[in-house]
Amino acid sequence: MLVVPLEQLPLWGPSTGEQLSPKPVLTRPATLRILITVKAAPNPSARYGETVCVGALGLDAPWTGWIRLYPVHFRELADDSKFRKYDIVRLDALPARQDQRRESWKPIVDTITTERHLANWQPRRTLLDPLIEDSMCQLNKQTRDDPRARSIALIRVADISGLQVKRRDGWSPEDRRKIAGYLNQLDLLEPSQRSPLKAPRFTGTYRYRCADRQCRGHQQTLWDWEFVALQCRLAQLTDAETTDRLRHKFLTQLCAADRDVAFYVGNQAARPQSFSIGGVYAPKRPTERYRLRVNR
């Protein structure tokens, strides 16, 4: 079992109103040791073909706390550099210069090595439970007041009113331009053909209330790699069948009443007030105080 030094936990915990630390400025890469918590669905990139935004928890001082890695062109990583959710990973990275969010780092992808995988929920909970916050409402207020406020959090869910699974019409015009730009800039001497990223068939949106007593509800899009990967595995099913399977996995199973549900949330650099869900934190062994209520 991974043991966490107790003196480190306050460094990882939610903000309590103290002065926010500034974004680090480094001239040389730092070595990060992190726990992968989010692999967002891939998006088109004119340079890489596709990129993935990764959320993680820094484990070693001085780089403890939430970390965002971008861009990660995951499909092009060597096999020994590919990682899973809840892997402990080491890599070199620099603070992202063009991103004001202090959690954002630019990874040096060829330095990624996987240390090990946390297969059981108990060591995951030891690390992550102290970070769970009650109020998405407060996080929204902080970013409205200051766009440089925290951009990543793990938010406790009090109740869920639904998961809307909606058919999408392919990529946006901007994304199609990125794909075309990528295909046009491919080296003609490249021995292998790279296929463009295919748009997922469906988007998912949770409607829920956080554990803030004053919460009137939130509606946030789910950008989880696993949500898109499941769609790919269900490619032979009809839209109605696929919708049922997605709702069963991400609502009936992950948000069951016997789970302590929280959402990994993060915002956009261009729109810091806009948060979406990068993944679902759903360990079993619930506590009575936070039993989830789900309106079927």
Side-chain angles (χ1 to χ4, degrees):
M1 179 184 295
L2 184 64
V3 178
V4 184
L6 293 178
E7 66 270 20
Q8 288 188 359
L9 292 179
L11 297 177
W12 297 343
S15 171
T16 56
E18 70 274 14
Q19 182 71 31
L20 297 177
S21 59
K23 185 168 183 174
V25 177
L26 302 177
T27 57
R28 300 179 63 181
T31 297
L32 308 178
R33 181 170 175 265
I34 60 177
L35 172 69
I36 304 296
T37 56
V38 168
K39 281 173 61 181
N43 278 306
S45 165
R47 181 174 181 181
Y48 301 108
E50 63 188 69
T51 55
V52 172
C53 183
V54 174
L57 176 64
L59 300 179
D60 288 350
W63 312 118
T64 56
W66 293 117
I67 288 174
R68 175 187 293 102
L69 300 177
Y70 182 85
V72 179
H73 32 294
F74 194 82
R75 190 157 52 155
E76 303 223 347
L77 290 179
D79 288 342
D80 59 357
S81 294
K82 290 184 177 178
F83 49 81
R84 296 180 289 166
K85 192 174 179 179
Y86 299 120
D87 276 355
I88 294 179
V89 167
R90 288 183 181 271
L91 77 157
D92 293 340
L94 280 163
R97 294 181 179 178
Q98 297 179 346
D99 190 334
Q100 69 177 345
R101 298 171 297 180
R102 69 183 185 280
E103 299 92 345
S104 295
W105 292 72
K106 184 175 182 179
I108 302 173
V109 293
D110 59 4
T111 66
I112 295 173
T113 58
T114 300
E115 182 178 307
R116 64 194 181 98
H117 179 67
L118 297 189
N120 299 318
W121 271 110
Q122 189 53 52
R124 299 176 187 175
R125 297 197 74 157
T126 299
L127 291 167
L128 293 165
D129 278 9
L131 279 74
I132 298 176
E133 304 179 49
D134 284 341
S135 183
M136 184 69 232
C137 302
Q138 181 64 24
L139 190 61
N140 280 332
K141 180 181 184 302
Q142 290 171 353
T143 53
R144 285 195 301 268
D145 294 342
D146 183 356
R148 298 167 299 175
R150 288 182 306 116
S151 64
I152 301 177
L154 182 56
I155 298 295
R156 192 184 312 279
V157 177
D159 62 76
I160 297 176
S161 58
L163 171 64
Q164 180 186 42
V165 179
K166 185 177 180 181
R167 193 68 156 88
R168 64 178 296 169
D169 298 323
W171 295 120
S172 68
E174 179 183 356
D175 286 332
R176 289 197 295 270
R177 285 193 293 271
K178 291 178 181 178
I179 293 172
Y182 167 71
L183 295 176
N184 290 336
Q185 59 93 28
L186 285 179
D187 188 346
L188 296 178
L189 299 178
E190 188 170 295
S192 60
Q193 283 282 357
R194 293 190 239 176
S195 58
L197 180 64
K198 185 177 180 181
R201 271 197 290 169
F202 298 95
T203 59
T205 303
Y206 279 109
R207 296 189 303 276
Y208 72 99
R209 286 194 314 110
C210 67
D212 191 309
R213 293 180 180 273
Q214 305 301 318
C215 182
R216 294 186 173 184
H218 306 282
Q219 182 169 305
Q220 293 171 335
T221 302
L222 176 66
W223 293 114
D224 190 345
W225 175 293
E226 296 169 5
F227 184 75
V228 174
L230 180 56
Q231 295 180 45
C232 294
R233 296 196 294 272
L234 302 177
Q236 303 305 315
L237 299 185
T238 66
D239 284 1
E241 291 170 332
T242 302
T243 297
D244 287 343
R245 292 282 195 93
L246 291 169
R247 286 176 52 82
H248 179 73
K249 172 68 175 180
F250 287 89
L251 185 64
T252 305
Q253 289 187 342
L254 285 181
C255 299
D258 65 345
R259 292 179 181 258
D260 269 338
V261 178
F263 289 152
Y264 295 104
V265 299
N267 66 4
Q268 302 176 24
R271 294 190 297 168
Q273 292 80 25
S274 178
F275 280 85
S276 57
I277 298 169
V280 182
Y281 178 75
K284 290 188 176 180
R285 299 183 296 275
T287 61
E288 288 300 320
R289 182 180 178 188
Y290 294 117
R291 287 188 67 83
L292 183 69
R293 298 185 299 279
V294 179
N295 180 2
R296 304 296 177 191

